[in-house]
Amino acid sequence: RVAVNPNTPCRRCRWCYRGEPHLCRSMTACGVTYNGGFAQYCKVAAQLALPLPEGSDLPSDHWAMMEPISCCLHGIDVAQITAGDTVVILGGGSIGLLLMQIARHAGAGRLILSEPNDRKRGLAKSLGADEVVDPLELGDGLAEALREMTAGGADVVIEAAGLPVTAGQALKTARRGGTVLFFGVCPPNFELPLSPYEVYHSELTIRGTYTNPFTDSRALQLLASGRVQVGPIITHRFPLEQVAEGLDAVRRGD
């Protein structure tokens, strides 16, 4: 049994030579730039197949989460969370819930998650969130409320929803000297108003994170050890002939 990293860099460009293969401009990906997935069998290059740790009895669908966990690990590395930090995560979907768990293991002292779905907020609490908030209740006052909860702003704010509204909220939620990490995938044509003066005056650090460079083996260990729980995040199982129904359930937020 193996888990699969779908990404293959060219290994010949400037970024690959610099040890940044995830930024390769010629990256190919199984299921993205060539066919793979949503099938009974899938052929991948041997270098993309990671043998699972011996003795593990986790079901196969848990190991399928290795790739998103490895991406989240890279995000937490980039965010540079230090022991005791207050971390706010905007978005409690599967990615937000994975980021939250890894942030805790990275040393976060207080975790606050914002998510409009009641079921997902409950799941966040069961997986380790210290506090959860409903952004629909707070509306335009969400960032201000989070700043009050964190005595002036969070040390690290992670945007994990990929929505224009949460992207704007992220910049208003970090403390002076804090870090904002854009992890969610916003629409390519969306642009966010930004005050360079505020970035300067508050000494904000704004980071982006992309895919999963050199984090696969750590993701496997987090799964094997049970430090990251994915079972509660898997809500549905669909046979291949119902793939379209499964994707519709994702789009509905179910």
Side-chain angles (χ1 to χ4, degrees):
R1 294 198 304 164
V2 298
V4 175
N5 177 346
N7 303 309
T8 305
C10 74
R11 306 190 190 283
R12 298 185 303 274
C13 68
R14 171 187 179 186
W15 290 273
C16 287
Y17 285 141
R18 284 180 57 89
E20 300 171 333
H22 59 302
L23 301 180
C24 174
R25 292 292 183 89
S26 302
M27 179 85 72
T28 58
C30 179
V32 181
T33 56
Y34 61 92
N35 288 340
F38 294 144
Q40 185 174 3
Y41 297 102
C42 176
K43 182 172 69 173
V44 299
Q47 68 191 29
L48 302 182
L50 286 80
L52 303 187
E54 292 185 10
S56 173
D57 58 358
L58 286 178
S60 295
D61 53 6
H62 287 218
W63 292 111
M65 299 290 283
M66 183 280 292
E67 191 272 348
I69 290 174
S70 65
C71 292
C72 290
L73 269 170
H74 178 51
I76 297 300
D77 288 347
V78 168
Q80 296 184 334
I81 293 170
T82 56
D85 276 351
T86 294
V87 178
V88 168
I89 297 176
L90 303 177
S94 56
I95 292 298
L97 294 172
L98 292 175
L99 285 164
M100 183 191 74
Q101 295 181 71
I102 299 170
R104 175 70 80 198
H105 293 300
R110 185 182 180 195
L111 282 166
I112 303 172
L113 184 133
S114 172
E115 165 58 43
N117 183 289
D118 182 63
R119 180 184 61 81
K120 294 177 182 178
R121 287 198 305 275
L123 187 55
K125 287 289 288 185
S126 69
L127 290 173
D130 296 299
E131 295 154 271
V132 295
V133 297
D134 182 353
L136 297 182
E137 286 187 0
L138 296 168
D140 293 338
L142 175 65
E144 182 180 352
L146 289 170
R147 289 181 68 85
E148 289 180 1
M149 292 173 64
T150 55
D155 300 298
V156 176
V157 180
I158 302 176
E159 196 290 315
L163 300 173
V165 62
T166 48
Q169 291 164 345
L171 292 172
K172 299 175 182 177
T173 303
R175 68 168 175 84
R176 298 192 69 188
T179 295
V180 175
L181 177 72
F182 287 111
F183 191 100
V185 184
C186 282
N189 59 349
F190 169 68
E191 295 183 355
L192 185 67
L194 178 67
S195 167
Y197 176 83
E198 284 301 321
V199 176
Y200 143 78
H201 193 247
S202 296
E203 204 168 272
L204 281 179
T205 298
I206 302 173
R207 300 293 304 268
T209 178
Y210 184 65
T211 71
N212 56 343
F214 311 117
T215 50
D216 292 340
S217 61
R218 293 162 60 200
L220 288 177
Q221 290 302 318
L222 285 175
L223 275 167
S225 67
R227 296 298 181 99
V228 171
Q229 297 290 320
V230 299
I233 295 174
I234 300 172
T235 58
H236 297 67
R237 290 171 176 80
F238 293 92
L240 282 175
E241 56 270 20
Q242 293 179 11
V243 163
E245 294 179 31
L247 292 175
D248 285 341
V250 173
R251 295 186 185 103
R252 290 194 304 270
D254 296 339

